[in-house]
Amino acid sequence: MPPRPVSTRLTVSLVVFGLVLAAAPALYASFAICGVSGCTGGGFGRSTDPGGTLVALAVTGVVAAAPLAIYAIVRRSGALGVGTLALAVLTTLVTGAVIGSDLRGCPRNVPHETCLDESR
């Protein structure tokens, strides 16, 4: 008996569901990058957390891809597995770009040394 085809509608639904779930760690990443006052430093001042930002960005990608990963495992589909990995990486990179993070977890408009000094 040939394997059943992968449902496109279910796949799209799982991707959308994962992206909705990923909003929570993405929101945390946006706070971790500069603190509650934002990157302008108004109010309480800027408080960067590069390590926390990187972890939150990674968690964002994992959470976004988790529903699709479960479906890929159940279906034993290598193509869905590759799509899952691509979704995780793309979600992490896009979220980082949207919140203004560089690849080290610091705000792009703040020098890296200043970012490390503000994280202590």
Side-chain angles (χ1 to χ4, degrees), residues 61-115:
V62 169
V63 168
L68 188 60
I70 293 168
Y71 185 53
I73 291 168
V74 169
R75 297 296 309 201
R76 296 184 181 168
S77 172
L80 275 177
V82 171
T84 299
L85 180 61
L87 177 64
V89 170
L90 188 65
T91 303
T92 298
L93 292 175
V94 168
T95 303
V98 168
I99 67 170
S101 175
D102 63 10
L103 295 177
R104 296 177 284 194
C106 290
R108 284 191 303 258
N109 61 349
V110 176
H112 186 65
E113 295 77 24
T114 305
C115 173

Side-chain angles (χ1 to χ4, degrees), residues 7-102:
S7 169
T8 304
R9 182 176 290 169
L10 180 59
T11 302
V12 170
S13 297
L14 290 172
V15 169
V16 170
F17 180 64
L19 291 174
V20 168
L21 292 176
L27 181 64
Y28 175 76
S30 70
F31 284 125
I33 193 167
C34 287
V36 176
S37 297
C39 292
T40 60
F44 296 109
R46 185 173 50 224
S47 174
T48 59
D49 184 6
T53 302
L54 290 176
V55 169
L57 288 173
V59 169
T60 300
V62 169
V63 168
L68 188 60
I70 293 168
Y71 185 53
I73 291 168
V74 169
R75 297 296 309 201
R76 296 184 181 168
S77 172
L80 275 177
V82 171
T84 299
L85 180 61
L87 177 64
V89 170
L90 188 65
T91 303
T92 298
L93 292 175
V94 168
T95 303
V98 168
I99 67 170
S101 175
D102 63 10

